[in-house]
mmCIF file of all heavy atoms in Angstrom:
data_model
loop_
_atom_site.group_PDB
_atom_site.id
_atom_site.type_symbol
_atom_site.label_atom_id
_atom_site.label_comp_id
_atom_site.label_asym_id
_atom_site.label_seq_id
_atom_site.Cartn_x
_atom_site.Cartn_y
_atom_site.Cartn_z
ATOM 1 N N PHE A 184 41.193 18.884 -31.747
ATOM 2 C CA PHE A 184 42.089 19.573 -32.675
ATOM 3 C C PHE A 184 41.884 19.250 -34.091
ATOM 4 O O PHE A 184 41.852 20.145 -35.016
ATOM 5 C CB PHE A 184 43.608 19.131 -32.239
ATOM 6 C CG PHE A 184 44.601 19.523 -33.242
ATOM 7 C CD1 PHE A 184 45.024 20.817 -33.391
ATOM 8 C CD2 PHE A 184 45.211 18.508 -34.040
ATOM 9 C CE1 PHE A 184 45.976 21.115 -34.330
ATOM 10 C CE2 PHE A 184 46.158 18.894 -34.955
ATOM 11 C CZ PHE A 184 46.590 20.150 -35.074
ATOM 12 N N VAL A 185 41.677 17.974 -34.428
ATOM 13 C CA VAL A 185 41.471 17.536 -35.813
ATOM 14 C C VAL A 185 40.186 18.086 -36.355
ATOM 15 O O VAL A 185 40.080 18.495 -37.478
ATOM 16 C CB VAL A 185 41.463 15.946 -35.825
ATOM 17 C CG1 VAL A 185 40.935 15.483 -37.228
ATOM 18 C CG2 VAL A 185 42.823 15.420 -35.610
ATOM 19 N N GLU A 186 39.148 18.151 -35.526
ATOM 20 C CA GLU A 186 37.867 18.690 -35.985
ATOM 21 C C GLU A 186 37.962 20.097 -36.359
ATOM 22 O O GLU A 186 37.128 20.612 -37.155
ATOM 23 C CB GLU A 186 36.759 18.579 -34.837
ATOM 24 C CG GLU A 186 36.296 17.117 -34.653
ATOM 25 C CD GLU A 186 35.475 16.960 -33.431
ATOM 26 O OE1 GLU A 186 35.244 18.028 -32.770
ATOM 27 O OE2 GLU A 186 35.107 15.819 -33.086
ATOM 28 N N ASN A 187 38.891 20.901 -35.920
ATOM 29 C CA ASN A 187 39.132 22.265 -36.197
ATOM 30 C C ASN A 187 40.334 22.666 -36.933
ATOM 31 O O ASN A 187 40.565 23.781 -37.114
ATOM 32 C CB ASN A 187 38.945 23.074 -34.835
ATOM 33 C CG ASN A 187 37.680 22.913 -34.125
ATOM 34 O OD1 ASN A 187 36.732 23.539 -34.528
ATOM 35 N ND2 ASN A 187 37.667 22.130 -33.090
ATOM 36 N N VAL A 188 41.058 21.627 -37.384
ATOM 37 C CA VAL A 188 42.403 21.925 -37.975
ATOM 38 C C VAL A 188 42.285 22.735 -39.282
ATOM 39 O O VAL A 188 43.227 23.590 -39.521
ATOM 40 C CB VAL A 188 43.172 20.604 -38.205
ATOM 41 C CG1 VAL A 188 42.618 19.823 -39.379
ATOM 42 C CG2 VAL A 188 44.583 20.883 -38.462
ATOM 43 N N PHE A 189 41.249 22.685 -39.973
ATOM 44 C CA PHE A 189 41.179 23.424 -41.209
ATOM 45 C C PHE A 189 40.050 24.472 -41.118
ATOM 46 O O PHE A 189 39.368 24.918 -42.081
ATOM 47 C CB PHE A 189 40.782 22.511 -42.425
ATOM 48 C CG PHE A 189 41.911 21.534 -42.666
ATOM 49 C CD1 PHE A 189 41.609 20.211 -42.645
ATOM 50 C CD2 PHE A 189 43.222 21.992 -42.891
ATOM 51 C CE1 PHE A 189 42.746 19.298 -42.817
ATOM 52 C CE2 PHE A 189 44.156 21.031 -43.142
ATOM 53 C CZ PHE A 189 43.973 19.726 -43.097
ATOM 54 N N SER A 190 39.815 25.018 -39.966
ATOM 55 C CA SER A 190 38.803 26.082 -39.687
ATOM 56 C C SER A 190 39.304 27.347 -40.309
ATOM 57 O O SER A 190 40.457 27.651 -40.484
ATOM 58 C CB SER A 190 38.602 26.297 -38.131
ATOM 59 O OG SER A 190 38.178 25.198 -37.502
ATOM 60 N N LEU A 191 38.276 28.232 -40.649
ATOM 61 C CA LEU A 191 38.597 29.547 -41.161
ATOM 62 C C LEU A 191 39.405 30.311 -40.073
ATOM 63 O O LEU A 191 39.097 30.266 -38.896
ATOM 64 C CB LEU A 191 37.335 30.338 -41.448
ATOM 65 C CG LEU A 191 36.519 29.813 -42.719
ATOM 66 C CD1 LEU A 191 35.197 30.546 -42.861
ATOM 67 C CD2 LEU A 191 37.380 29.982 -43.987
ATOM 68 N N PRO A 192 40.548 30.959 -40.464
ATOM 69 C CA PRO A 192 41.394 31.662 -39.445
ATOM 70 C C PRO A 192 40.758 32.894 -38.903
ATOM 71 O O PRO A 192 41.192 34.046 -39.054
ATOM 72 C CB PRO A 192 42.619 31.970 -40.257
ATOM 73 C CG PRO A 192 42.186 32.117 -41.683
ATOM 74 C CD PRO A 192 41.041 31.160 -41.822
ATOM 75 N N VAL A 193 39.592 32.729 -38.190
ATOM 76 C CA VAL A 193 38.840 33.838 -37.544
ATOM 77 C C VAL A 193 38.970 33.700 -36.059
ATOM 78 O O VAL A 193 38.399 32.794 -35.489
ATOM 79 C CB VAL A 193 37.437 33.838 -37.982
ATOM 80 C CG1 VAL A 193 36.599 35.043 -37.293
ATOM 81 C CG2 VAL A 193 37.256 33.958 -39.494
ATOM 82 N N ASP A 194 39.877 34.444 -35.454
ATOM 83 C CA ASP A 194 40.182 34.305 -34.058
ATOM 84 C C ASP A 194 39.133 35.005 -33.170
ATOM 85 O O ASP A 194 39.458 36.146 -32.661
ATOM 86 C CB ASP A 194 41.614 34.765 -33.766
ATOM 87 C CG ASP A 194 42.112 34.344 -32.409
ATOM 88 O OD1 ASP A 194 41.420 33.540 -31.791
ATOM 89 O OD2 ASP A 194 43.237 34.799 -32.038
ATOM 90 N N LEU A 195 38.028 34.393 -32.993
ATOM 91 C CA LEU A 195 36.964 34.910 -32.119
ATOM 92 C C LEU A 195 36.587 33.825 -31.094
ATOM 93 O O LEU A 195 36.791 32.726 -31.272
ATOM 94 C CB LEU A 195 35.672 35.208 -32.920
ATOM 95 C CG LEU A 195 35.838 36.291 -33.992
ATOM 96 C CD1 LEU A 195 34.532 36.378 -34.907
ATOM 97 C CD2 LEU A 195 36.085 37.665 -33.370
ATOM 98 N N PRO A 196 36.074 34.270 -29.890
ATOM 99 C CA PRO A 196 35.695 33.393 -28.849
ATOM 100 C C PRO A 196 34.708 32.398 -29.424
ATOM 101 O O PRO A 196 33.838 32.743 -30.181
ATOM 102 C CB PRO A 196 35.092 34.295 -27.788
ATOM 103 C CG PRO A 196 35.675 35.673 -28.011
ATOM 104 C CD PRO A 196 35.906 35.773 -29.436
ATOM 105 N N PHE A 197 34.892 31.121 -29.047
ATOM 106 C CA PHE A 197 33.945 30.021 -29.378
ATOM 107 C C PHE A 197 34.059 29.660 -30.843
ATOM 108 O O PHE A 197 33.318 28.822 -31.343
ATOM 109 C CB PHE A 197 32.482 30.280 -29.031
ATOM 110 C CG PHE A 197 32.300 30.780 -27.597
ATOM 111 C CD1 PHE A 197 31.969 32.058 -27.287
ATOM 112 C CD2 PHE A 197 32.622 29.865 -26.588
ATOM 113 C CE1 PHE A 197 31.848 32.464 -26.039
ATOM 114 C CE2 PHE A 197 32.430 30.262 -25.228
ATOM 115 C CZ PHE A 197 32.076 31.607 -24.983
ATOM 116 N N SER A 198 34.971 30.312 -31.685
ATOM 117 C CA SER A 198 35.121 29.888 -33.040
ATOM 118 C C SER A 198 35.863 28.557 -33.109
ATOM 119 O O SER A 198 36.586 28.165 -32.160
ATOM 120 C CB SER A 198 35.939 30.936 -33.811
ATOM 121 O OG SER A 198 37.255 31.043 -33.388
ATOM 122 N N GLY A 199 35.743 27.827 -34.228
ATOM 123 C CA GLY A 199 36.447 26.590 -34.459
ATOM 124 C C GLY A 199 37.963 26.875 -34.397
ATOM 125 O O GLY A 199 38.723 26.020 -33.817
ATOM 126 N N TYR A 200 38.391 27.957 -34.933
ATOM 127 C CA TYR A 200 39.854 28.338 -34.960
ATOM 128 C C TYR A 200 40.387 28.380 -33.501
ATOM 129 O O TYR A 200 41.381 27.868 -33.186
ATOM 130 C CB TYR A 200 40.146 29.645 -35.693
ATOM 131 C CG TYR A 200 41.511 29.995 -35.795
ATOM 132 C CD1 TYR A 200 42.311 29.470 -36.720
ATOM 133 C CD2 TYR A 200 42.076 30.959 -35.013
ATOM 134 C CE1 TYR A 200 43.647 29.751 -36.975
ATOM 135 C CE2 TYR A 200 43.331 31.407 -35.173
ATOM 136 C CZ TYR A 200 44.183 30.825 -36.128
ATOM 137 O OH TYR A 200 45.522 31.156 -36.286
ATOM 138 N N ARG A 201 39.653 29.130 -32.625
ATOM 139 C CA ARG A 201 40.079 29.324 -31.313
ATOM 140 C C ARG A 201 40.058 27.982 -30.504
ATOM 141 O O ARG A 201 41.000 27.688 -29.732
ATOM 142 C CB ARG A 201 39.117 30.269 -30.543
ATOM 143 C CG ARG A 201 39.459 30.602 -29.127
ATOM 144 C CD ARG A 201 40.699 31.528 -28.971
ATOM 145 N NE ARG A 201 40.536 32.769 -29.505
ATOM 146 C CZ ARG A 201 39.948 33.801 -28.794
ATOM 147 N NH1 ARG A 201 39.592 33.636 -27.570
ATOM 148 N NH2 ARG A 201 39.856 35.033 -29.343
ATOM 149 N N LYS A 202 39.059 27.169 -30.853
ATOM 150 C CA LYS A 202 39.006 25.808 -30.163
ATOM 151 C C LYS A 202 40.212 24.970 -30.595
ATOM 152 O O LYS A 202 40.761 24.237 -29.738
ATOM 153 C CB LYS A 202 37.647 25.087 -30.468
ATOM 154 C CG LYS A 202 36.425 25.735 -29.876
ATOM 155 C CD LYS A 202 35.150 24.997 -30.329
ATOM 156 C CE LYS A 202 33.936 25.678 -29.757
ATOM 157 N NZ LYS A 202 32.686 24.988 -30.297
ATOM 158 N N GLY A 203 40.509 25.068 -31.877
ATOM 159 C CA GLY A 203 41.664 24.243 -32.360
ATOM 160 C C GLY A 203 43.006 24.726 -31.776
ATOM 161 O O GLY A 203 43.827 23.907 -31.408
ATOM 162 N N ILE A 204 43.113 26.040 -31.688
ATOM 163 C CA ILE A 204 44.352 26.564 -31.068
ATOM 164 C C ILE A 204 44.416 26.122 -29.626
ATOM 165 O O ILE A 204 45.564 25.700 -29.153
ATOM 166 C CB ILE A 204 44.229 28.120 -31.104
ATOM 167 C CG1 ILE A 204 44.471 28.613 -32.508
ATOM 168 C CG2 ILE A 204 45.410 28.765 -30.187
ATOM 169 C CD1 ILE A 204 45.887 28.473 -33.092
ATOM 170 N N ARG A 205 43.367 26.110 -28.903
ATOM 171 C CA ARG A 205 43.453 25.714 -27.483
ATOM 172 C C ARG A 205 43.732 24.280 -27.361
ATOM 173 O O ARG A 205 44.560 23.848 -26.551
ATOM 174 C CB ARG A 205 42.034 26.010 -26.792
ATOM 175 C CG ARG A 205 42.091 25.847 -25.317
ATOM 176 C CD ARG A 205 40.722 26.184 -24.617
ATOM 177 N NE ARG A 205 40.335 27.559 -25.001
ATOM 178 C CZ ARG A 205 39.280 27.807 -25.731
ATOM 179 N NH1 ARG A 205 38.531 26.921 -26.269
ATOM 180 N NH2 ARG A 205 38.905 29.149 -26.000
ATOM 181 N N ALA A 206 43.174 23.474 -28.210
ATOM 182 C CA ALA A 206 43.347 22.064 -28.238
ATOM 183 C C ALA A 206 44.771 21.716 -28.566
ATOM 184 O O ALA A 206 45.454 20.894 -27.958
ATOM 185 C CB ALA A 206 42.429 21.361 -29.210
ATOM 186 N N ARG A 207 45.358 22.436 -29.529
ATOM 187 C CA ARG A 207 46.741 22.283 -29.941
ATOM 188 C C ARG A 207 47.722 22.587 -28.793
ATOM 189 O O ARG A 207 48.667 21.836 -28.548
ATOM 190 C CB ARG A 207 47.128 23.155 -31.172
ATOM 191 C CG ARG A 207 48.492 22.797 -31.747
ATOM 192 C CD ARG A 207 48.848 23.890 -32.689
ATOM 193 N NE ARG A 207 48.997 25.188 -32.179
ATOM 194 C CZ ARG A 207 49.356 26.324 -32.833
ATOM 195 N NH1 ARG A 207 49.585 26.248 -34.109
ATOM 196 N NH2 ARG A 207 49.424 27.447 -32.142
ATOM 197 N N GLU A 208 47.467 23.623 -28.030
ATOM 198 C CA GLU A 208 48.298 23.999 -26.943
ATOM 199 C C GLU A 208 48.340 22.946 -25.796
ATOM 200 O O GLU A 208 49.368 22.614 -25.348
ATOM 201 C CB GLU A 208 47.851 25.392 -26.400
ATOM 202 C CG GLU A 208 48.144 26.575 -27.312
ATOM 203 C CD GLU A 208 47.448 27.818 -26.789
ATOM 204 O OE1 GLU A 208 46.627 27.749 -25.775
ATOM 205 O OE2 GLU A 208 47.685 28.946 -27.389
ATOM 206 N N ILE A 209 47.098 22.466 -25.574
ATOM 207 C CA ILE A 209 47.061 21.405 -24.491
ATOM 208 C C ILE A 209 47.708 20.085 -25.002
ATOM 209 O O ILE A 209 48.473 19.486 -24.266
ATOM 210 C CB ILE A 209 45.477 21.086 -24.190
ATOM 211 C CG1 ILE A 209 44.855 22.242 -23.620
ATOM 212 C CG2 ILE A 209 45.382 19.884 -23.262
ATOM 213 C CD1 ILE A 209 43.384 22.106 -23.449
ATOM 214 N N LEU A 210 47.456 19.779 -26.289
ATOM 215 C CA LEU A 210 48.077 18.627 -26.873
ATOM 216 C C LEU A 210 49.603 18.701 -26.899
ATOM 217 O O LEU A 210 50.293 17.699 -26.549
ATOM 218 C CB LEU A 210 47.496 18.407 -28.322
ATOM 219 C CG LEU A 210 47.845 17.129 -29.080
ATOM 220 C CD1 LEU A 210 47.278 15.875 -28.295
ATOM 221 C CD2 LEU A 210 47.243 17.182 -30.410
ATOM 222 N N GLN A 211 50.136 19.836 -27.263
ATOM 223 C CA GLN A 211 51.561 19.919 -27.383
ATOM 224 C C GLN A 211 52.221 19.929 -25.947
ATOM 225 O O GLN A 211 53.365 19.437 -25.828
ATOM 226 C CB GLN A 211 51.885 21.212 -28.088
ATOM 227 C CG GLN A 211 51.628 21.113 -29.563
ATOM 228 C CD GLN A 211 52.451 22.019 -30.413
ATOM 229 O OE1 GLN A 211 53.072 23.004 -29.903
ATOM 230 N NE2 GLN A 211 52.573 21.796 -31.691
ATOM 231 N N LYS A 212 51.510 20.363 -24.977
ATOM 232 C CA LYS A 212 52.059 20.193 -23.612
ATOM 233 C C LYS A 212 52.156 18.691 -23.148
ATOM 234 O O LYS A 212 53.205 18.326 -22.586
ATOM 235 C CB LYS A 212 51.135 20.974 -22.568
ATOM 236 C CG LYS A 212 51.254 22.475 -22.617
ATOM 237 C CD LYS A 212 50.362 23.108 -21.530
ATOM 238 C CE LYS A 212 50.517 24.633 -21.608
ATOM 239 N NZ LYS A 212 49.548 25.284 -20.619
ATOM 240 N N GLY A 213 51.174 18.030 -23.466
ATOM 241 C CA GLY A 213 51.169 16.510 -23.246
ATOM 242 C C GLY A 213 52.265 15.832 -24.001
ATOM 243 O O GLY A 213 52.996 14.974 -23.531
ATOM 244 N N LEU A 214 52.385 16.205 -25.263
ATOM 245 C CA LEU A 214 53.426 15.565 -26.171
ATOM 246 C C LEU A 214 54.833 15.944 -25.662
ATOM 247 O O LEU A 214 55.679 15.143 -25.658
ATOM 248 C CB LEU A 214 53.246 16.057 -27.592
ATOM 249 C CG LEU A 214 52.000 15.490 -28.262
ATOM 250 C CD1 LEU A 214 51.853 16.103 -29.665
ATOM 251 C CD2 LEU A 214 52.041 13.989 -28.407
ATOM 252 N N GLU A 215 54.943 17.198 -25.223
ATOM 253 C CA GLU A 215 56.375 17.546 -24.735
ATOM 254 C C GLU A 215 56.704 16.831 -23.498
ATOM 255 O O GLU A 215 57.873 16.329 -23.417
ATOM 256 C CB GLU A 215 56.360 19.085 -24.407
ATOM 257 C CG GLU A 215 57.703 19.534 -23.932
ATOM 258 C CD GLU A 215 57.851 21.073 -23.812
ATOM 259 O OE1 GLU A 215 57.050 21.781 -24.399
ATOM 260 O OE2 GLU A 215 58.799 21.540 -23.151
ATOM 261 N N LYS A 216 55.766 16.627 -22.566
ATOM 262 C CA LYS A 216 56.031 15.768 -21.440
ATOM 263 C C LYS A 216 56.443 14.362 -21.855
ATOM 264 O O LYS A 216 57.423 13.822 -21.324
ATOM 265 C CB LYS A 216 54.849 15.834 -20.544
ATOM 266 C CG LYS A 216 54.922 14.879 -19.326
ATOM 267 C CD LYS A 216 53.594 14.784 -18.519
ATOM 268 C CE LYS A 216 53.668 13.778 -17.379
ATOM 269 N NZ LYS A 216 52.392 13.619 -16.723
ATOM 270 N N ALA A 217 55.660 13.767 -22.805
ATOM 271 C CA ALA A 217 55.966 12.420 -23.229
ATOM 272 C C ALA A 217 57.343 12.284 -23.921
ATOM 273 O O ALA A 217 58.050 11.371 -23.700
ATOM 274 C CB ALA A 217 54.808 11.967 -24.185
ATOM 275 N N ILE A 218 57.701 13.273 -24.704
ATOM 276 C CA ILE A 218 58.971 13.346 -25.410
ATOM 277 C C ILE A 218 60.108 13.375 -24.435
ATOM 278 O O ILE A 218 61.127 12.698 -24.560
ATOM 279 C CB ILE A 218 58.991 14.559 -26.420
ATOM 280 C CG1 ILE A 218 58.058 14.282 -27.629
ATOM 281 C CG2 ILE A 218 60.454 14.719 -26.937
ATOM 282 C CD1 ILE A 218 57.877 15.535 -28.469
ATOM 283 N N ARG A 219 59.956 14.296 -23.431
ATOM 284 C CA ARG A 219 61.083 14.465 -22.398
ATOM 285 C C ARG A 219 61.243 13.107 -21.673
ATOM 286 O O ARG A 219 62.361 12.688 -21.431
ATOM 287 C CB ARG A 219 60.819 15.615 -21.498
ATOM 288 C CG ARG A 219 60.885 16.986 -22.153
ATOM 289 C CD ARG A 219 60.831 18.096 -21.197
ATOM 290 N NE ARG A 219 60.792 19.358 -21.866
ATOM 291 C CZ ARG A 219 61.783 19.993 -22.469
ATOM 292 N NH1 ARG A 219 62.994 19.397 -22.390
ATOM 293 N NH2 ARG A 219 61.700 21.104 -23.067
ATOM 294 N N GLU A 220 60.135 12.470 -21.244
ATOM 295 C CA GLU A 220 60.196 11.174 -20.586
ATOM 296 C C GLU A 220 60.870 10.118 -21.503
ATOM 297 O O GLU A 220 61.694 9.321 -21.002
ATOM 298 C CB GLU A 220 58.841 10.741 -20.148
ATOM 299 C CG GLU A 220 58.298 11.565 -18.973
ATOM 300 C CD GLU A 220 56.869 11.165 -18.656
ATOM 301 O OE1 GLU A 220 56.253 10.367 -19.352
ATOM 302 O OE2 GLU A 220 56.321 11.699 -17.667
ATOM 303 N N LYS A 221 60.522 10.231 -22.738
ATOM 304 C CA LYS A 221 61.083 9.218 -23.747
ATOM 305 C C LYS A 221 62.603 9.451 -23.840
ATOM 306 O O LYS A 221 63.369 8.440 -23.811
ATOM 307 C CB LYS A 221 60.412 9.381 -25.065
ATOM 308 C CG LYS A 221 60.999 8.464 -26.185
ATOM 309 C CD LYS A 221 60.330 8.850 -27.557
ATOM 310 C CE LYS A 221 60.845 8.118 -28.672
ATOM 311 N NZ LYS A 221 60.513 6.635 -28.596
ATOM 312 N N LEU A 222 63.012 10.686 -23.979
ATOM 313 C CA LEU A 222 64.489 11.001 -24.075
ATOM 314 C C LEU A 222 65.243 10.543 -22.871
ATOM 315 O O LEU A 222 66.401 10.116 -22.916
ATOM 316 C CB LEU A 222 64.654 12.474 -24.404
ATOM 317 C CG LEU A 222 64.157 12.921 -25.725
ATOM 318 C CD1 LEU A 222 64.307 14.417 -25.847
ATOM 319 C CD2 LEU A 222 64.753 12.198 -26.900
ATOM 320 N N GLN A 223 64.632 10.682 -21.689
ATOM 321 C CA GLN A 223 65.306 10.239 -20.437
ATOM 322 C C GLN A 223 65.444 8.751 -20.339
ATOM 323 O O GLN A 223 66.356 8.246 -19.691
ATOM 324 C CB GLN A 223 64.503 10.797 -19.277
ATOM 325 C CG GLN A 223 64.590 12.346 -19.085
ATOM 326 C CD GLN A 223 63.624 12.790 -17.939
ATOM 327 O OE1 GLN A 223 62.887 12.038 -17.282
ATOM 328 N NE2 GLN A 223 63.616 14.109 -17.793
ATOM 329 N N ASN A 224 64.546 8.040 -20.979
ATOM 330 C CA ASN A 224 64.535 6.531 -20.899
ATOM 331 C C ASN A 224 65.000 5.858 -22.241
ATOM 332 O O ASN A 224 64.593 4.797 -22.543
ATOM 333 C CB ASN A 224 63.208 6.023 -20.507
ATOM 334 C CG ASN A 224 62.804 6.545 -19.130
ATOM 335 O OD1 ASN A 224 63.476 6.245 -18.173
ATOM 336 N ND2 ASN A 224 61.646 7.231 -19.117
ATOM 337 N N ALA A 225 65.827 6.603 -22.978
ATOM 338 C CA ALA A 225 66.187 6.205 -24.377
ATOM 339 C C ALA A 225 66.902 4.901 -24.351
ATOM 340 O O ALA A 225 66.839 4.143 -25.339
ATOM 341 C CB ALA A 225 67.055 7.205 -25.020
ATOM 342 N N HIS A 226 67.565 4.521 -23.192
ATOM 343 C CA HIS A 226 68.419 3.312 -23.150
ATOM 344 C C HIS A 226 67.450 2.058 -22.970
ATOM 345 O O HIS A 226 67.798 0.991 -23.286
ATOM 346 C CB HIS A 226 69.368 3.382 -21.986
ATOM 347 C CG HIS A 226 68.713 3.617 -20.686
ATOM 348 N ND1 HIS A 226 68.253 4.817 -20.250
ATOM 349 C CD2 HIS A 226 68.424 2.712 -19.647
ATOM 350 C CE1 HIS A 226 67.666 4.708 -19.088
ATOM 351 N NE2 HIS A 226 67.766 3.422 -18.686
#
């Protein structure tokens, strides 16, 4: 994600932008899971 965060916004297959978008989506799924678990165990 970091390697492609400032890529040119050209949404083509195998472009840095597309790789960054895909990485962000995977990352945010993992973060959402961690956030929900954290909120459940807040005490």
Side-chain angles (χ1 to χ4, degrees):
F184 168 71
V185 169
E186 288 170 2
N187 296 286
V188 72
F189 297 121
S190 299
L191 291 173
V193 179
D194 193 8
L195 295 173
F197 309 111
S198 67
Y200 183 78
R201 181 73 66 85
K202 291 177 182 176
I204 289 289
R205 191 179 302 114
R207 185 191 64 181
E208 291 172 351
I209 296 172
L210 189 61
Q211 290 206 338
K212 284 181 181 178
L214 291 175
E215 181 170 344
K216 177 186 174 185
I218 291 170
R219 292 192 184 282
E220 289 177 353
K221 177 186 175 70
L222 294 175
Q223 290 173 0
N224 299 298
H226 59 282

